[in-house]
Amino acid sequence: MKEKILEAFEGTRKAGSIASAALDEVAKIVKPGIKTEEIDKLCFEFINDNGAYSAPLYYRGFPKSCCTSTNHIVCHGIPKYKVLKEGDIVNVDVTALKNGWHGDTSRMYYVGDVSTKAKKLVEVTYEAMSKSIKILKNGIKVGDIGYVIETYVKSNGFSVVRDFCGHGTGKNFHEPPNILHFGERNTGEELKTGMIFTIEPMINEGEYQTKLLQDGWTAVTKDKKLSAQFEHTVGITDKGYEIFTASKKGYDFPPYIK
């Protein structure tokens, strides 16, 4: 790969490693009784202690260092005084900015014992993301990613959120291309070596429609049913792909600590 691509991959690798490690730490504290603002504090301090900055903080006015999206919150939940309860599911979304490069990732967490339907939703969401990553290589189209995700999700009786998508990332938090999580084979932009982007499907238990709350950030399912999301930052290589935000502790899917 060319020098600029190698520089981008190395920068994203370092940022992604910090973001991923922050989510490893989150796994140690998620339990009934903690407040989402405690998760935010941990993420801010961990990322800062590792020589990086929490990119969401003040991004377009966002007030916190991470997003905490519980139950029917689809994405961009703002950490504050909400107390996690037994049976909740929560997505924590972090982005580390290190030496000008971004590493963006999110994971689902179980709060105590969760329902069978919640577990299935989380499992299908993770598998949908994983299946779409496995097809990544030079020459496929963005639509191929969405097709794999949507086909698998629908076969399990769930729906793919259409109002939000993955995105290119690098020196800028969000860059082209948009990575839709639904679509048709062989449509959209062609993937080429050096491209770095996120895949972050949001999957709903019920219908795919969402609505935005009055805070201007928090998106929820319109039917108030559960939603789940996983996210990795990935790069296209000459031989396939690299995941920049995989957990070094193997905490990629819950339950993380038994």
Side-chain angles (χ1 to χ4, degrees):
M1 291 189 287
K2 295 180 180 178
E3 189 174 332
K4 281 189 176 180
I5 294 176
L6 290 172
E7 178 190 357
F9 271 50
E10 181 58 25
T12 306
R13 197 175 290 126
K14 289 178 180 177
S17 178
I18 293 169
S20 176
L23 293 184
D24 290 346
E25 293 300 307
V26 169
K28 299 176 182 178
I29 69 165
V30 171
K31 61 183 178 181
I34 77 157
K35 295 177 181 177
T36 52
E37 64 182 356
E38 295 176 62
I39 297 173
D40 182 73
K41 183 174 184 288
L42 182 154
C43 290
F44 174 80
E45 291 178 351
F46 182 88
I47 290 171
N48 187 66
D49 289 347
N50 281 273
Y53 179 76
S54 293
L57 186 60
Y58 306 131
Y59 178 76
R60 296 181 179 175
F62 190 77
K64 296 291 185 175
S65 294
C66 69
C67 301
T68 52
S69 302
T70 53
N71 299 328
H72 74 294
I73 297 177
V74 175
C75 62
H76 304 154
I78 300 173
K80 40 192 171 185
Y81 307 118
K82 179 177 175 58
V83 177
L84 297 181
K85 303 188 301 295
E86 183 85 16
D88 285 346
I89 58 173
V90 57
N91 176 273
V92 181
D93 190 339
V94 299
T95 304
L97 175 59
K98 173 78 170 177
N99 297 329
W101 299 98
H102 292 81
D104 190 359
T105 186
S106 81
R107 291 180 212 158
M108 296 299 300
Y109 298 83
Y110 298 151
V111 184
D113 292 323
V114 305
S115 68
T116 300
K117 70 176 180 180
K119 284 184 178 179
K120 183 182 178 185
L121 176 65
V122 171
E123 288 168 2
V124 168
T125 304
Y126 180 77
E127 275 302 308
M129 177 189 68
S130 299
K131 286 177 181 293
S132 72
I133 290 174
K134 288 174 182 175
I135 70 164
L136 295 177
K137 62 180 179 179
N138 253 313
I140 72 163
K141 302 288 185 64
V142 167
D144 297 327
I145 297 171
Y147 176 82
V148 167
I149 291 170
E150 185 177 29
T151 300
Y152 182 72
V153 168
K154 282 187 171 181
S155 74
N156 281 277
F158 300 128
S159 64
V160 179
V161 170
R162 294 174 172 240
D163 294 332
F164 303 94
C165 61
H167 54 87
T169 191
K171 289 283 191 179
N172 297 310
F173 196 165
H174 296 90
E175 299 178 348
N178 288 333
I179 307 296
L180 302 180
H181 303 116
F182 60 95
E184 299 296 329
R185 286 173 171 162
N186 202 34
T187 61
E189 186 171 345
E190 183 177 316
L191 302 186
K192 297 178 181 177
T193 296
M195 292 177 72
I196 297 173
F197 52 87
T198 69
I199 297 179
E200 47 182 300
M202 286 149 263
I203 308 304
N204 290 351
E205 175 196 359
E207 301 299 320
Y208 68 79
Q209 290 86 356
T210 69
K211 68 176 182 178
L212 196 63
L213 299 187
Q214 288 185 343
D215 62 22
W217 285 103
T218 307
V220 300
T221 58
K222 227 171 186 179
D223 58 13
K224 297 185 179 179
K225 292 187 177 181
L226 295 175
S227 187
Q229 179 190 21
F230 283 89
E231 175 183 15
H232 274 315
T233 299
V234 298
I236 302 300
T237 70
D238 290 330
K239 296 181 180 179
Y241 63 88
E242 178 176 348
I243 301 174
F244 297 112
T245 48
S247 169
K248 290 191 170 84
K249 292 187 175 181
Y251 292 177
D252 290 300
F253 181 82
Y256 303 106
I257 300 172
K258 298 180 181 179

